[in-house]
Each structure stands twice: as C-alpha cells, then as structure tokens.
Amino acid sequence: GRPIVRIEFVRSNIFDPTDPSMDWWPYRAANAIHVVTRERFLRSMVLFEEGDAWSRAEAAESARILRSLGFINPVEISAHAVEGGVEVVVETHDQWSLQIGAEAGVTGERTDYGFQIQEENFLGWGKTLTLEYASDEERDTRIVRYQDPHILGSRRTADVIYEDRSDGEFQRLRIERPFFALST
C-alpha cells in the first residue's frame, strides 16, 4: 500500500436538501435539529490515519465499524492516487438518532405512565444519552444513562447508569475493551 497523504471526510445530514422530494419543511426541520457526526469522532473510529500505508482491508473494516454504530449508513471509503501516495475519501450519511417514546395505561384503579428520550449521537460525538421516567403503582423511577463507544479516543467503552427509584437506587459503571477490529 502506498502512503495515505490526505483523508477527506464528506459528511451528509439525514435528508438531502438538493433532492426535490425532500424539499419540504419537515425534512429541513429534522436536518436543522440534528447535529451531523463530527469529523474528529469519525477520525477516531477509522483504523488508519495520514502517513499509514493504504489497505483495502482496513478501509472495509473501518466502514464496518462506522456502520455498527447504528446511526451512520451508508459508509463509502475510497482512495485515489495523488502525488506521493493516495488520498482517501470517507463518505458518511447520518441516520436519525433521536428516539422519543411515551406510554400510559389504566387497568381498574391502576395507572401506569412513562416517557423516554434517547439521543444515540449526542452533539455529533457518537455518545448515547438516555433520560427516562416511569411511574406505576409500586414505584416511580428516574433513569439517566450515558454510553461512550470510545472513551477519550481509546478503544474502551463506557456504560454509566443511574436509576433513582422511590424504593431505592441503582448505579453502575462498566468500562470494557471489546473486540474492535481484526487488525487491532
């Protein structure tokens, strides 16, 4: 493999504003509230950097890693020859990453309700933040959860959960070094 001289990231928002079928206010509003995945986060997730030797296998594995995040698809990684090596282009397309849910029910004199909001690409950094509230006859529960697939640029993940219940609380911090790529 020839040396990688430059890496260019082409990041696309959820909806393509140049497509006439998506030139409607709901699509523009969704794009406006969605933060496109940041280039710095994408750079930290690929298996190569400037100066490394170009490898199709590492490019394919990097594309798999980005798709596995769940909020980027499709991912295209290509290279073309330039003076002194190759220029790599990483094209990503964000998917909708905000999930909002609610539930309510009444059975006899029992009332249950709750809501959840989850952002899987918080501020474009690939982190997941979940806020949840549930209430039933037995307890009220408030949950805050934070997941980081790449703690401080390392290959370690974090999962932090805090649950405050009317009958107690639950806290967990899990840090792992999971399988990342064949080459690592």
Side-chain angles (χ1 to χ4, degrees), residues 117-139:
I117 184 166
Q118 180 179 56
E119 173 57 52
E120 295 173 330
N121 189 12
F122 188 63
L123 300 176
W125 289 109
K127 320 299 186 205
T128 299
L129 181 63
T130 305
L131 304 173
E132 187 173 344
Y133 178 80
S135 179
D136 60 31
E137 190 173 278
E138 295 180 10
R139 73 180 57 87

mmCIF file of all heavy atoms in Angstrom, residues 117-139:
data_model
loop_
_atom_site.group_PDB
_atom_site.id
_atom_site.type_symbol
_atom_site.label_atom_id
_atom_site.label_comp_id
_atom_site.label_asym_id
_atom_site.label_seq_id
_atom_site.Cartn_x
_atom_site.Cartn_y
_atom_site.Cartn_z
ATOM 1 N N ILE A 117 -36.504 9.615 26.364
ATOM 2 C CA ILE A 117 -35.852 10.334 25.276
ATOM 3 C C ILE A 117 -34.419 9.815 25.212
ATOM 4 O O ILE A 117 -33.752 9.705 26.237
ATOM 5 C CB ILE A 117 -35.920 11.869 25.456
ATOM 6 C CG1 ILE A 117 -35.303 12.579 24.253
ATOM 7 C CG2 ILE A 117 -35.274 12.306 26.750
ATOM 8 C CD1 ILE A 117 -35.622 14.063 24.200
ATOM 9 N N GLN A 118 -33.994 9.455 23.994
ATOM 10 C CA GLN A 118 -32.655 8.903 23.815
ATOM 11 C C GLN A 118 -32.029 9.497 22.557
ATOM 12 O O GLN A 118 -32.645 9.488 21.496
ATOM 13 C CB GLN A 118 -32.712 7.386 23.681
ATOM 14 C CG GLN A 118 -31.340 6.746 23.481
ATOM 15 C CD GLN A 118 -31.448 5.240 23.378
ATOM 16 O OE1 GLN A 118 -32.166 4.724 22.533
ATOM 17 N NE2 GLN A 118 -30.739 4.552 24.252
ATOM 18 N N GLU A 119 -30.823 10.012 22.699
ATOM 19 C CA GLU A 119 -30.049 10.510 21.557
ATOM 20 C C GLU A 119 -28.826 9.618 21.420
ATOM 21 O O GLU A 119 -27.997 9.548 22.324
ATOM 22 C CB GLU A 119 -29.638 11.968 21.780
ATOM 23 C CG GLU A 119 -28.702 12.514 20.727
ATOM 24 C CD GLU A 119 -29.241 12.424 19.304
ATOM 25 O OE1 GLU A 119 -30.373 12.876 19.045
ATOM 26 O OE2 GLU A 119 -28.504 11.890 18.449
ATOM 27 N N GLU A 120 -28.727 8.914 20.281
ATOM 28 C CA GLU A 120 -27.641 7.953 20.067
ATOM 29 C C GLU A 120 -26.368 8.587 19.505
ATOM 30 O O GLU A 120 -25.341 7.916 19.419
ATOM 31 C CB GLU A 120 -28.113 6.849 19.122
ATOM 32 C CG GLU A 120 -29.231 6.016 19.712
ATOM 33 C CD GLU A 120 -29.804 5.044 18.719
ATOM 34 O OE1 GLU A 120 -29.795 5.345 17.497
ATOM 35 O OE2 GLU A 120 -30.251 3.973 19.152
ATOM 36 N N ASN A 121 -26.446 9.841 19.102
ATOM 37 C CA ASN A 121 -25.281 10.549 18.571
ATOM 38 C C ASN A 121 -25.249 11.946 19.194
ATOM 39 O O ASN A 121 -25.327 12.953 18.509
ATOM 40 C CB ASN A 121 -25.352 10.617 17.039
ATOM 41 C CG ASN A 121 -24.087 11.144 16.409
ATOM 42 O OD1 ASN A 121 -23.049 11.269 17.044
ATOM 43 N ND2 ASN A 121 -24.166 11.468 15.130
ATOM 44 N N PHE A 122 -25.136 11.977 20.517
ATOM 45 C CA PHE A 122 -25.259 13.214 21.275
ATOM 46 C C PHE A 122 -24.250 14.259 20.811
ATOM 47 O O PHE A 122 -23.032 14.026 20.846
ATOM 48 C CB PHE A 122 -25.096 12.917 22.767
ATOM 49 C CG PHE A 122 -25.381 14.070 23.669
ATOM 50 C CD1 PHE A 122 -26.636 14.635 23.718
ATOM 51 C CD2 PHE A 122 -24.391 14.599 24.463
ATOM 52 C CE1 PHE A 122 -26.912 15.702 24.547
ATOM 53 C CE2 PHE A 122 -24.642 15.663 25.305
ATOM 54 C CZ PHE A 122 -25.913 16.222 25.345
ATOM 55 N N LEU A 123 -24.762 15.378 20.343
ATOM 56 C CA LEU A 123 -23.984 16.516 19.845
ATOM 57 C C LEU A 123 -22.989 16.122 18.741
ATOM 58 O O LEU A 123 -21.993 16.798 18.532
ATOM 59 C CB LEU A 123 -23.258 17.228 20.991
ATOM 60 C CG LEU A 123 -24.169 17.802 22.081
ATOM 61 C CD1 LEU A 123 -23.340 18.395 23.206
ATOM 62 C CD2 LEU A 123 -25.129 18.825 21.502
ATOM 63 N N GLY A 124 -23.258 15.019 18.051
ATOM 64 C CA GLY A 124 -22.401 14.593 16.952
ATOM 65 C C GLY A 124 -21.153 13.853 17.381
ATOM 66 O O GLY A 124 -20.284 13.573 16.563
ATOM 67 N N TRP A 125 -21.051 13.501 18.672
ATOM 68 C CA TRP A 125 -19.849 12.852 19.194
ATOM 69 C C TRP A 125 -19.980 11.338 19.331
ATOM 70 O O TRP A 125 -19.107 10.689 19.907
ATOM 71 C CB TRP A 125 -19.454 13.457 20.541
ATOM 72 C CG TRP A 125 -18.910 14.837 20.423
ATOM 73 C CD1 TRP A 125 -19.512 15.984 20.814
ATOM 74 C CD2 TRP A 125 -17.657 15.223 19.848
ATOM 75 N NE1 TRP A 125 -18.721 17.057 20.519
ATOM 76 C CE2 TRP A 125 -17.560 16.617 19.920
ATOM 77 C CE3 TRP A 125 -16.606 14.513 19.265
ATOM 78 C CZ2 TRP A 125 -16.471 17.320 19.451
ATOM 79 C CZ3 TRP A 125 -15.514 15.218 18.797
ATOM 80 C CH2 TRP A 125 -15.451 16.598 18.889
ATOM 81 N N GLY A 126 -21.091 10.743 18.871
ATOM 82 C CA GLY A 126 -21.244 9.301 18.919
ATOM 83 C C GLY A 126 -21.588 8.739 20.294
ATOM 84 O O GLY A 126 -21.584 7.531 20.481
ATOM 85 N N LYS A 127 -21.882 9.591 21.235
ATOM 86 C CA LYS A 127 -22.239 9.155 22.585
ATOM 87 C C LYS A 127 -23.758 8.992 22.667
ATOM 88 O O LYS A 127 -24.494 9.672 21.973
ATOM 89 C CB LYS A 127 -21.819 10.167 23.649
ATOM 90 C CG LYS A 127 -20.479 10.842 23.453
ATOM 91 C CD LYS A 127 -19.312 9.929 23.427
ATOM 92 C CE LYS A 127 -18.021 10.742 23.379
ATOM 93 N NZ LYS A 127 -16.924 10.051 22.797
ATOM 94 N N THR A 128 -24.222 8.102 23.542
ATOM 95 C CA THR A 128 -25.657 7.908 23.739
ATOM 96 C C THR A 128 -26.052 8.454 25.104
ATOM 97 O O THR A 128 -25.419 8.138 26.114
ATOM 98 C CB THR A 128 -26.033 6.414 23.660
ATOM 99 O OG1 THR A 128 -25.681 5.922 22.371
ATOM 100 C CG2 THR A 128 -27.518 6.209 23.893
ATOM 101 N N LEU A 129 -27.095 9.275 25.113
ATOM 102 C CA LEU A 129 -27.639 9.818 26.353
ATOM 103 C C LEU A 129 -29.119 9.457 26.412
ATOM 104 O O LEU A 129 -29.863 9.726 25.468
ATOM 105 C CB LEU A 129 -27.462 11.334 26.410
ATOM 106 C CG LEU A 129 -27.967 12.019 27.684
ATOM 107 C CD1 LEU A 129 -27.202 11.538 28.911
ATOM 108 C CD2 LEU A 129 -27.856 13.527 27.545
ATOM 109 N N THR A 130 -29.524 8.830 27.522
ATOM 110 C CA THR A 130 -30.907 8.413 27.697
ATOM 111 C C THR A 130 -31.453 9.000 28.985
ATOM 112 O O THR A 130 -30.806 8.924 30.036
ATOM 113 C CB THR A 130 -31.009 6.869 27.776
ATOM 114 O OG1 THR A 130 -30.402 6.299 26.628
ATOM 115 C CG2 THR A 130 -32.456 6.426 27.871
ATOM 116 N N LEU A 131 -32.655 9.582 28.918
ATOM 117 C CA LEU A 131 -33.390 10.072 30.083
ATOM 118 C C LEU A 131 -34.736 9.362 30.072
ATOM 119 O O LEU A 131 -35.411 9.322 29.040
ATOM 120 C CB LEU A 131 -33.591 11.588 30.013
ATOM 121 C CG LEU A 131 -32.334 12.434 29.865
ATOM 122 C CD1 LEU A 131 -32.699 13.889 29.640
ATOM 123 C CD2 LEU A 131 -31.437 12.284 31.085
ATOM 124 N N GLU A 132 -35.119 8.817 31.218
ATOM 125 C CA GLU A 132 -36.348 8.037 31.263
ATOM 126 C C GLU A 132 -37.056 8.255 32.592
ATOM 127 O O GLU A 132 -36.407 8.409 33.638
ATOM 128 C CB GLU A 132 -35.992 6.553 31.095
ATOM 129 C CG GLU A 132 -37.154 5.633 30.953
ATOM 130 C CD GLU A 132 -36.723 4.210 30.628
ATOM 131 O OE1 GLU A 132 -35.578 3.983 30.218
ATOM 132 O OE2 GLU A 132 -37.568 3.310 30.816
ATOM 133 N N TYR A 133 -38.385 8.271 32.528
ATOM 134 C CA TYR A 133 -39.197 8.367 33.739
ATOM 135 C C TYR A 133 -40.341 7.370 33.602
ATOM 136 O O TYR A 133 -40.975 7.272 32.546
ATOM 137 C CB TYR A 133 -39.762 9.776 33.937
ATOM 138 C CG TYR A 133 -40.646 9.869 35.148
ATOM 139 C CD1 TYR A 133 -40.108 9.992 36.419
ATOM 140 C CD2 TYR A 133 -42.029 9.804 35.017
ATOM 141 C CE1 TYR A 133 -40.917 10.050 37.538
ATOM 142 C CE2 TYR A 133 -42.852 9.863 36.138
ATOM 143 C CZ TYR A 133 -42.294 9.982 37.394
ATOM 144 O OH TYR A 133 -43.092 10.035 38.500
ATOM 145 N N ALA A 134 -40.623 6.625 34.676
ATOM 146 C CA ALA A 134 -41.746 5.691 34.684
ATOM 147 C C ALA A 134 -42.406 5.727 36.053
ATOM 148 O O ALA A 134 -41.740 5.871 37.080
ATOM 149 C CB ALA A 134 -41.269 4.278 34.371
ATOM 150 N N SER A 135 -43.711 5.596 36.056
ATOM 151 C CA SER A 135 -44.460 5.591 37.300
ATOM 152 C C SER A 135 -45.534 4.516 37.211
ATOM 153 O O SER A 135 -46.252 4.423 36.219
ATOM 154 C CB SER A 135 -45.106 6.952 37.539
ATOM 155 O OG SER A 135 -45.856 6.943 38.739
ATOM 156 N N ASP A 136 -45.603 3.695 38.241
ATOM 157 C CA ASP A 136 -46.674 2.712 38.346
ATOM 158 C C ASP A 136 -47.094 2.633 39.812
ATOM 159 O O ASP A 136 -46.631 3.406 40.641
ATOM 160 C CB ASP A 136 -46.258 1.351 37.776
ATOM 161 C CG ASP A 136 -45.056 0.744 38.482
ATOM 162 O OD1 ASP A 136 -44.864 0.983 39.694
ATOM 163 O OD2 ASP A 136 -44.302 0.006 37.815
ATOM 164 N N GLU A 137 -47.960 1.697 40.115
ATOM 165 C CA GLU A 137 -48.495 1.581 41.469
ATOM 166 C C GLU A 137 -47.412 1.314 42.511
ATOM 167 O O GLU A 137 -47.499 1.741 43.652
ATOM 168 C CB GLU A 137 -49.525 0.444 41.492
ATOM 169 C CG GLU A 137 -50.316 0.370 42.779
ATOM 170 C CD GLU A 137 -51.418 -0.657 42.668
ATOM 171 O OE1 GLU A 137 -52.479 -0.308 42.112
ATOM 172 O OE2 GLU A 137 -51.195 -1.785 43.137
ATOM 173 N N GLU A 138 -46.349 0.622 42.114
ATOM 174 C CA GLU A 138 -45.306 0.234 43.057
ATOM 175 C C GLU A 138 -44.203 1.268 43.245
ATOM 176 O O GLU A 138 -43.645 1.389 44.319
ATOM 177 C CB GLU A 138 -44.688 -1.092 42.612
ATOM 178 C CG GLU A 138 -45.667 -2.238 42.665
ATOM 179 C CD GLU A 138 -45.053 -3.543 42.215
ATOM 180 O OE1 GLU A 138 -43.822 -3.606 42.047
ATOM 181 O OE2 GLU A 138 -45.818 -4.488 42.027
ATOM 182 N N ARG A 139 -43.836 1.989 42.170
ATOM 183 C CA ARG A 139 -42.700 2.902 42.296
ATOM 184 C C ARG A 139 -42.667 3.928 41.168
ATOM 185 O O ARG A 139 -43.258 3.734 40.117
ATOM 186 C CB ARG A 139 -41.387 2.127 42.317
ATOM 187 C CG ARG A 139 -40.954 1.549 40.985
ATOM 188 C CD ARG A 139 -39.643 0.794 41.046
ATOM 189 N NE ARG A 139 -39.617 -0.287 41.987
ATOM 190 C CZ ARG A 139 -40.009 -1.546 41.740
ATOM 191 N NH1 ARG A 139 -40.480 -1.862 40.561
ATOM 192 N NH2 ARG A 139 -39.931 -2.470 42.668
#
